[in-house]
Amino acid sequence: VSIPFADTPHWREFLIRLDDPHRTIRELSQELRGRGIYAPVDLSDQFDALGQVGLICVTEQHTQQDIDRFVEEVRSILR
């Protein structure tokens, strides 16, 4: 997983890109939904040149524990 445009200013939204050619953002999103996490939004069709990208949004409603859980679930799925 990489973060396109990580060095540019952003507010609470950012993209993640799957670098594994055998995985899609849609598959990742579906697996996360099954675990009660509703992210990322698949933008791969809208931004084809960026590859498998999804939008992540973090607001004041998300605790550090929520963010840590998201990261761990993504790691678990992509192993």
Side-chain angles (χ1 to χ4, degrees):
V1 175
S2 59
I3 300 176
F5 313 110
D7 58 344
T8 61
H10 58 276
W11 183 234
R12 295 180 176 168
E13 297 174 336
F14 60 95
L15 296 176
I16 63 169
R17 178 186 302 135
L18 293 184
D19 300 319
D20 181 346
H22 304 292
R23 294 293 219 149
T24 66
I25 286 288
R26 179 169 289 137
E27 291 169 343
L28 175 63
S29 186
Q30 288 173 345
E31 289 192 49
L32 286 168
R33 279 191 193 106
R35 299 175 187 208
I37 298 173
Y38 294 87
V41 175
D42 186 359
L43 298 180
S44 300
D45 292 339
Q46 290 88 350
F47 300 98
D48 188 51
L50 295 177
Q52 288 297 311
V53 293
L55 182 66
I56 303 294
C57 180
V58 180
T59 70
E60 68 278 356
Q61 297 295 314
H62 298 99
T63 65
Q64 185 63 50
Q65 184 178 5
D66 293 333
I67 296 166
D68 291 344
R69 178 172 174 241
F70 171 77
V71 170
E72 288 306 315
E73 294 292 350
V74 170
R75 281 183 180 150
S76 171
I77 291 167
L78 296 179
R79 283 189 194 147

